[in-house]
Amino acid sequence: MIPKEARPGNDTAGLLYYLYGPGKRDEHVDPHMVAAWDPFVPDPVNSDEFSISDLAMLLDAPVRALTGKKPPLHVFHVAVRNPPEDRRLTDEEWARVAREMMHAAGIAPHTDDQGCRWVAVRHADDHIHIVATRAREDDRQPDTSWSKLRMQEAARGFEVEFGLRRLTHADGTARRWSKTGEAEKATRRGLSEPPRETLQRTVREAAAVSVSDTDFFERLAVAGLRVNQRIAPDGNVTGYSVALPGDRDSGQKPVWFPGTRLAPDLSLPRVRERWSGPPVNPAVASAVMWRTAVEKVRAAADQLGAGGLHQGAGDVAALGDLIVVAAVISPRLVRSQMREAAFEFERASRAPVARELEGQARALYRESTQLLSQSGAAAGRNDTAAVLGLLVALVTAVSASQRWHQAQEHRVQAGAAGRAGRLLREAVEMTAGANAARGHRPRPKRRIRTGASSRAQEVQGGRVLAAVVQEAVPKHARAVLADAAWPALRSRLQEIEGAGGDPAEVLSAVAAQRELGSADSVAEVLTWRLEGWRRQQTAGAPAPGRTQASTAAGSGGGASQVRGDGRTAPTRRPPDDEQRKGPRRAR
């Protein structure tokens, strides 16, 4: 159930005529009143002596009778809608919903006979409209400052009572979404996403690995953002705003976004929490950075939430930063999946409780984050064996966070962790397929007599490809062929065969890369591995001894250098890193 409060207005009669009329967006069917502030108010559609204009005059009467300052926009309008899959509610049930919404909004409390006047009109099966006027019978105006939050709470109660689909509750952890005008402006400018999205991602990457105010603001500047620090009279920095070069308003002024308008955990005080406590600078040899990071991530998964509710909130916040950094330094093969996983886990990293920053898991995640931010230049992001170990450890960590959120009944966060885990598993299997492609040496093709029956013939039928599965993965063949993901796997096998490869040989190679017994869907896992195989074959194997320039986390995707004090210093991106290139700085 979704209550959506519309913008206030000043034309009561006009709104009522629209609700009782044919409609503009959805066809209005059988418009009628289901409830009102007074049960004896007649419905205009059932009365020859009482019109819609008369109803509007009754609603507006307390507004005209106000002796003090009258509200310029006195019409309160809220639509309450159910998803299409919910059952159809009766008029009596919708009447209960309307009365409860007006009570929750502060328009007409149940025990207050001096409340505002309102009516609820139904013209469709799945929703009602409630119209009220902001003037009480005792010559006062209602307090609706918490109307949206309280109506949402009432809706959650009706979902349980009426057996409806249970939607998410506004717990203050949601990200700040771009507005319609921002998206339209980005389209006109030819941008791939609104500036708010670009700023949000870049600031989050910088915050994930920064160790001080100076480091944080340096990384934002190197990433190409315009930065405006808010400095108090005593010289302390109390906040910041960022803007994308070239993003200007109608007055040709830069459009600034404070950190709090990007996400709840990107305000300066929340950013500073990341480097509170003793500095994290693990002294580890370059050769073992990845392995040490994997060990710390696995150890942290066992400790997540062990210190209680508030320490668990700090643990998942640090895990979110770790996934952000892992996405920045990940190989191009799986970078899109990693960035999507970081995007999905963002909500899971914000638990709806106060967080403590002393948890053991949080310390391990922070150490792993700093290690990964340094490991790019040392190990190279094309070290797929190291990447695969890290991805498997991250899957374990995200699964632990999902179980913790479920135990705390954080349904929204648990769902976000589940989606991120699925994307990470996809990245694991694609990396496994790429590893198999790197080590694969195709067997020489045998010469086949004309007319002989063999899988090497270019036959695209399902029967031949089913035989391929029987040959390559005999233990799982029955389950694969009965799986809903089998058509997708069959398409991948057809692509391999069409490119001149041996589908049975390739399928056998990717199946042997990692065990399949723990997979929920073997067919889906094999499809992901074949996709990794295809991408690796398309990209081609790297030249021997050559490593790709690494990207340091937090600098918007730029390469990293290690300072004399062991911290990672942001530097300019390599010119060929077009995918992660940020906005150019304004001159």
Side-chain angles (χ1 to χ4, degrees):
M1 183 173 290
I2 307 171
K4 184 177 181 180
E5 185 177 328
R7 293 181 180 179
N10 58 7
D11 187 2
T12 308
L15 178 56
L16 288 175
Y17 272 107
Y18 168 74
L19 297 178
Y20 277 102
K24 296 179 181 179
R25 297 177 58 184
D26 302 318
E27 184 178 358
H28 294 178
V29 179
D30 185 25
H32 60 280
M33 185 189 301
V34 296
W37 81 97
D38 186 336
F40 298 103
V41 174
D43 188 348
V45 299
N46 297 325
S47 175
D48 295 333
E49 300 177 354
F50 190 77
S51 66
I52 295 176
S53 297
D54 294 333
L55 178 60
M57 290 179 61
L58 277 181
L59 288 169
D60 284 339
V63 179
R64 292 193 296 269
L66 286 174
T67 57
K69 183 178 180 181
K70 295 178 175 58
L73 300 174
H74 66 276
V75 180
F76 181 90
H77 175 206
V78 58
V80 187
R81 185 182 300 270
N82 283 340
E85 60 270 21
D86 279 344
R87 69 175 180 86
R88 176 180 176 180
L89 300 184
T90 65
D91 282 353
E92 291 74 18
E93 288 173 325
W94 277 122
R96 280 198 55 209
V97 171
R99 286 190 288 269
E100 191 62 36
M101 291 298 170
M102 291 297 92
H103 168 76
I107 294 291
H110 291 324
T111 58
D112 187 356
D113 59 358
Q114 300 295 311
C116 302
R117 298 183 177 184
W118 60 272
V119 294
V121 178
R122 180 180 187 181
H123 54 216
D125 290 341
D126 61 349
H127 69 278
I128 60 172
H129 290 264
I130 310 174
V131 180
T133 49
R134 297 174 183 266
R136 292 168 49 86
E137 302 286 354
D138 56 5
D139 198 34
R140 293 188 296 117
Q141 296 181 26
D143 180 10
T144 59
S145 55
W146 294 94
S147 59
K148 294 181 181 179
L149 179 60
R150 290 173 178 169
M151 285 192 294
Q152 290 286 347
E153 292 175 348
R156 302 293 83 78
F158 280 118
E159 288 166 2
V160 176
E161 180 181 351
F162 292 159
L164 307 176
R165 177 186 173 190
R166 299 186 64 182
L167 303 181
T168 60
H169 178 65
D171 58 10
T173 63
R175 74 196 323 257
R176 308 293 189 258
W177 296 98
S178 298
K179 300 179 180 178
T180 303
E182 296 175 18
E184 294 174 349
K185 180 180 177 182
T187 301
R188 291 195 302 269
R189 294 182 57 198
L191 302 178
S192 59
E193 62 183 1
R196 185 193 297 262
E197 302 294 326
T198 304
L199 294 171
Q200 190 178 76
R201 183 177 60 254
T202 306
V203 172
R204 186 171 299 282
E205 291 172 359
V209 292
S210 298
V211 295
S212 65
D213 282 17
T214 302
D215 189 23
F216 175 60
F217 291 121
E218 281 182 3
R219 290 180 183 276
L220 295 181
V222 169
L225 305 186
R226 304 184 67 175
V227 183
N228 180 28
Q229 300 181 33
R230 186 171 66 248
I231 302 177
D234 59 1
N236 292 323
V237 180
T238 59
Y240 73 98
S241 300
V242 290
L244 205 61
D247 184 25
R248 297 180 179 274
D249 59 16
S250 58
Q252 293 302 307
K253 295 181 179 179
V255 180
W256 295 97
F257 289 86
T260 52
R261 285 179 56 193
L262 297 177
D265 57 343
L266 292 183
S267 64
L268 187 58
R270 297 293 293 273
V271 169
R272 284 170 169 162
E273 288 180 357
R274 290 167 164 86
W275 57 76
S276 62
V280 178
N281 185 23
V284 179
S286 299
V288 295
M289 278 186 176
W290 284 82
R291 187 175 64 194
T292 304
V294 170
E295 292 173 354
K296 291 180 180 294
V297 173
R298 290 187 179 277
D302 296 332
Q303 299 293 327
L304 193 149
L309 175 63
H310 301 295
Q311 282 193 10
D315 296 342
V316 295
L319 176 57
D321 287 343
L322 174 61
I323 297 175
V324 167
V325 174
V328 172
I329 68 170
S330 60
R332 292 184 183 274
L333 174 75
V334 295
R335 196 177 305 165
S336 60
Q337 281 76 18
M338 292 297 296
R339 289 183 66 179
E340 289 181 24
F343 177 86
E344 291 291 352
F345 193 81
E346 180 188 325
R347 187 71 182 273
S349 68
R350 294 191 289 266
V353 295
R355 59 185 185 181
E356 294 180 0
L357 309 175
E358 294 80 19
Q360 184 176 357
R362 177 186 181 276
L364 291 170
Y365 286 140
R366 287 294 296 165
E367 292 173 8
S368 301
T369 300
Q370 294 298 323
L371 281 171
L372 293 182
S373 68
Q374 301 173 23
S375 64
R381 69 167 64 167
N382 279 334
D383 186 353
T384 54
V387 171
L388 182 59
L390 175 65
L391 292 178
V392 173
L394 287 177
V395 169
T396 304
V398 170
S399 297
S401 71
Q402 183 180 12
R403 291 192 298 271
W404 181 80
H405 279 305
Q406 289 171 340
Q408 310 304 323
E409 298 185 356
H410 301 158
R411 292 190 298 112
V412 179
Q413 285 76 10
R419 293 189 296 273
R422 176 179 172 80
L423 289 164
L424 286 172
R425 286 191 291 272
E426 181 178 346
V428 166
E429 302 303 343
M430 290 179 63
T431 305
N435 279 343
R438 283 190 174 91
H440 178 67
R441 296 294 181 269
R443 293 176 294 186
K445 297 183 178 180
R446 294 176 297 177
R447 301 183 63 179
I448 305 169
R449 296 192 306 271
T450 304
S453 175
S454 169
R455 72 167 190 275
Q457 291 177 300
E458 293 186 2
V459 181
Q460 301 295 330
R463 180 182 62 82
V464 173
L465 293 178
V468 167
V469 175
Q470 290 280 0
E471 178 181 346
V473 284
K475 292 183 179 179
H476 305 283
R478 184 184 297 272
V480 168
L481 297 176
D483 198 305
W486 161 240
L489 176 59
R490 180 174 57 194
S491 298
R492 291 286 184 271
L493 294 173
Q494 289 174 349
E495 292 173 2
I496 293 171
E497 190 174 29
D502 186 335
E505 185 178 333
V506 173
L507 186 60
S508 178
V510 298
Q513 191 70 16
R514 277 173 48 82
E515 58 87 22
L516 294 168
S518 60
D520 295 331
S521 171
V522 176
E524 191 171 44
V525 166
L526 292 175
T527 303
W528 290 338
R529 294 187 190 180
L530 290 179
E531 176 63 17
W533 174 286
R534 183 192 66 79
R535 292 189 185 184
Q536 177 59 34
Q537 295 287 45
T538 302
R546 180 182 177 185
T547 58
Q548 185 177 350
S550 173
T551 300
S555 60
S560 63
Q561 296 178 348
V562 180
R563 295 171 173 158
D565 58 1
R567 293 191 285 117
T568 306
T571 59
R572 297 290 181 183
R573 294 180 186 83
D576 60 338
D577 197 359
E578 293 296 328
Q579 181 172 350
R580 297 294 301 154
K581 184 177 291 185
R584 294 182 178 178
R585 299 191 64 184
R587 296 184 180 274

